[in-house]
Amino acid sequence: MSVVMLSVAACVSSPGGGASASCALSVGSLYEPQNLDNAGGGGQGAAEALAGNVYEALFRLTEAGAVEKSLASEYTVSPDGLTYTFALRQGVRFHSGTPMTSADVRHSLRRILAGTSTSSRKNSLDMIKSVDAPDDHTVVVRLSSRSISLIYNLSQVWIVNHTLADPKTAEDGTGPYRLASWKRGATLTMERFGGYWGASPKCGQVTFRYYTEAAALNNALLSGAVDVVTSVQSPDALAPFSDTSAFRITEGTSTTKLLLAFNCRRAPFDKPLVRRAVSAAIDDAKLLRSIWGDRGMVIGSMVPPADPWYEDLSGKNAYDVEAAKRMLAEAGYPGGFPMTLDTPQYDPHPTIAEFVKSELAKVGITVTINIISADEWYSRIFQHHDFAATLQEHVNDRDIRYYGDPGFYWGYDNPEVSDLIRRSESAKTTREQTELLRRANHEIVEDAASDWLYLNPQIVVASARVTGYAANAVQAQFPVYGIDKR
């Protein structure tokens, strides 16, 4: 998500000034879930609406990026770093009313690690050798190698009731909200869960309303049809909220990268020189200005400033049309080549696709733009790798690890990079981990494994009467349980 906007809707305040049970929040979004399962292709929309609100994990990330305990109350690590023992928080119930036990945690981890799993988190947890549940409140995880990021990575594993038949079509989480209804193509409504183990959320009901066009989404905010917009794709939308007596504009930390992703398995993008040429032919800074004005950043890699191993690598593969032509000629494509660019149908991707087409025409590359639905992108591109190049937003922090997995949708395969990323995970100190990942990032950028066009800004625009919203983007989720309207 890039820009969050909030305005005031009808809400009955309690005598003490806090929000009452009748407080309702309406959230506008471009990212409808593909399904309800973040481990089974639910996509950004599932994480945005459900993470932290409907589902919880053993640990959670704070807005500042720190890891804190959630469904785990305590944990210990063996001296060799290979055995983690987790004590579970007691008194936690699923929305169905059944108590959470270690069997549910074991099930939730095993389904990520299963051979049939399509979860993008599978690779980051592949050092888990076994998961045992010696009693109802204890989970023991044994590793094949040390994992400095295990606790962090567990914050992304939703704990699901092991009796839930199909997490894609129904939910049974432990979060402060339960799913009330989902009308595909329209709304997803959550209601406060009375049996929640933690602090009760501020608003009794939250409805996510889905749009396919940014203009319609912005109009919904301006007309009062929604209270919150999770992603505004143009700074022009901020103008109506410039009255500082009525609204507050806050820019937080973003982790959302807009990528031109190459299929590195397929010619001509199996050649690093071609990928470097394409990257050099596109003026990323001009693109960013055309979309966001003076907001956002060109960072030159997959690593945002929020990651400890960030370096500004925008000088690598920098914009240089003549250099791009020379590299294409050296790679065997002196006159360029035709290519198809698959792009999601929601803004700003079609606009960016047109910009990329215009830029690449300068070096003889003829681009055919193919606009596709989010469902087709997930099925054809992410699952089946049937594409040449695509545009996509990658929203999470610390996702450099995907370049160490040749099986990931873009098929980048550099054994040295995979080894550096693998060794970084076994590092004993953060300093050692950081150094190894910086080395890996330099290799990835040198290979132009993707073209990282820009880092989205993260902006919150809020009514002066709305409080409790997160300014910083955390793992694509939009936590609504802390929002209060007075």
Side-chain angles (χ1 to χ4, degrees):
M1 68 186 71
S2 52
V3 176
V4 178
M5 297 177 131
L6 299 94
S7 64
V8 178
C11 177
V12 179
S13 295
S14 63
S20 74
S22 62
C23 177
L25 187 71
S26 184
V27 181
S29 175
L30 293 171
Y31 306 112
E32 184 173 12
Q34 305 306 300
N35 61 59
L36 299 174
D37 185 7
N38 81 327
Q44 181 177 347
E48 180 182 82
L50 305 182
N53 298 321
V54 172
Y55 281 110
E56 297 176 301
L58 292 177
F59 300 87
R60 62 179 163 225
L61 288 186
T62 68
E63 189 184 351
V67 181
E68 64 181 20
K69 294 185 286 289
S70 181
L71 297 180
S73 59
E74 298 293 342
Y75 73 97
T76 59
V77 186
S78 63
D80 62 4
L82 298 179
T83 302
Y84 285 70
T85 302
F86 301 94
L88 302 185
R89 189 178 299 278
Q90 300 191 32
V92 177
R93 290 185 176 273
F94 288 104
H95 299 150
S96 60
T98 59
M100 181 197 71
T101 70
S102 56
D104 302 301
V105 177
R106 179 178 59 191
H107 164 76
S108 299
L109 282 168
R110 285 181 174 177
R111 78 188 194 99
I112 298 290
L113 299 168
T116 56
S117 170
T118 59
S119 172
S120 61
R121 294 158 184 80
K122 182 177 179 179
N123 185 58
S124 63
L125 295 170
D126 63 0
M127 75 293 297
I128 294 180
K129 185 167 62 175
S130 66
V131 183
D132 297 310
D135 61 56
D136 282 352
H137 303 295
T138 306
V139 176
V140 179
V141 175
R142 293 181 174 85
L143 310 180
S144 58
S145 59
R146 297 176 64 96
S147 173
I148 194 171
S149 302
L150 179 67
I151 300 302
Y152 178 92
N153 289 332
L154 289 178
S155 71
Q156 302 179 58
V157 178
W158 296 355
I159 304 305
V160 180
N161 189 334
H162 75 279
T163 65
L164 182 63
D166 187 2
K168 292 184 177 182
T169 59
E171 69 88 2
D172 200 8
T174 63
Y177 288 99
R178 65 194 309 168
L179 181 64
S181 66
W182 182 20
K183 299 177 182 178
R184 272 195 174 273
T187 61
L188 184 151
T189 300
M190 303 180 291
E191 59 186 19
R192 180 188 288 138
F193 176 44
Y196 183 55
W197 60 269
S200 182
K202 305 294 185 181
C203 291
Q205 185 182 80
V206 177
T207 299
F208 280 75
R209 300 184 183 277
Y210 296 109
Y211 301 82
T212 57
E213 296 180 354
L217 183 63
N218 296 347
N219 288 335
L221 176 67
L222 293 171
S223 68
V226 299
D227 307 304
V228 183
V229 174
T230 66
S231 181
V232 173
Q233 300 297 339
S234 167
D236 295 340
L238 302 176
F241 305 97
S242 59
D243 182 357
T244 56
S245 66
F247 298 95
R248 297 190 184 98
I249 299 176
T250 306
E251 188 159 0
T253 300
S254 172
T255 59
T256 300
K257 290 81 59 180
L258 200 296
L259 269 66
L260 171 59
F262 308 112
N263 188 342
C264 300
R265 305 175 182 88
R266 180 181 295 185
F269 298 116
D270 55 342
K271 293 185 176 183
L273 200 56
V274 170
R275 301 194 299 261
R276 288 173 58 196
V278 170
S279 298
I282 300 172
D283 189 343
D284 295 347
K286 181 179 178 181
L287 171 62
L288 177 60
R289 288 193 302 271
S290 71
I291 300 295
W292 280 109
D294 60 356
R295 292 185 166 92
M297 292 177 65
V298 174
I299 57 176
S301 80
M302 192 67 160
V303 180
D307 289 354
W309 33 90
Y310 167 74
E311 289 181 88
D312 180 2
L313 297 181
S314 58
K316 301 280 189 178
N317 303 319
Y319 178 58
D320 188 330
V321 172
E322 294 307 313
K325 291 178 179 178
R326 288 195 299 272
M327 286 187 280
L328 284 175
E330 185 179 344
Y333 298 94
F337 53 84
M339 61 172 279
T340 297
L341 177 59
D342 291 303
T343 182
Q345 64 187 13
Y346 51 88
D347 293 332
H349 298 87
T351 301
I352 293 172
E354 292 291 347
F355 182 93
V356 169
K357 178 178 180 178
S358 176
E359 292 287 277
L360 295 186
K362 299 173 185 176
V363 297
I365 298 175
T366 304
V367 176
T368 299
I369 298 171
N370 182 38
I371 296 178
I372 59 178
S373 68
D375 283 340
E376 184 179 352
W377 191 93
Y378 177 75
S379 175
R380 182 164 64 81
I381 294 177
F382 186 80
Q383 287 189 307
H384 299 293
H385 312 154
D386 181 15
F387 75 105
T390 185
L391 294 173
Q392 189 54 269
E393 292 172 322
H394 282 255
V395 299
N396 290 327
D397 53 356
R398 304 193 181 201
D399 47 9
I400 186 178
R401 66 181 183 274
Y402 296 132
Y403 289 98
D405 178 10
F408 200 61
Y409 80 88
W410 48 52
Y412 174 69
D413 187 1
N414 182 324
E416 183 178 354
V417 168
S418 297
D419 181 63
L420 286 167
I421 292 175
R422 189 163 44 247
R423 287 164 53 198
S424 76
E425 193 55 35
S426 300
K428 294 183 178 180
T429 66
T430 301
R431 181 176 180 178
E432 180 185 357
Q433 178 193 33
T434 297
E435 174 58 29
L436 289 167
L437 289 178
R438 281 183 175 169
R439 287 171 56 190
N441 197 34
H442 276 267
E443 288 288 331
I444 294 165
V445 172
E446 185 67 27
D447 279 348
S450 304
D451 186 7
W452 306 273
L453 299 172
Y454 61 77
L455 180 74
N456 274 2
Q458 172 67 16
I459 303 168
V460 176
V461 181
S463 163
R465 295 176 60 193
V466 178
T467 59
Y469 50 86
N472 296 332
V474 179
Q475 294 182 345
Q477 66 191 48
F478 185 68
V480 296
Y481 48 82
I483 297 177
D484 196 2
K485 301 192 301 184
R486 300 179 183 274

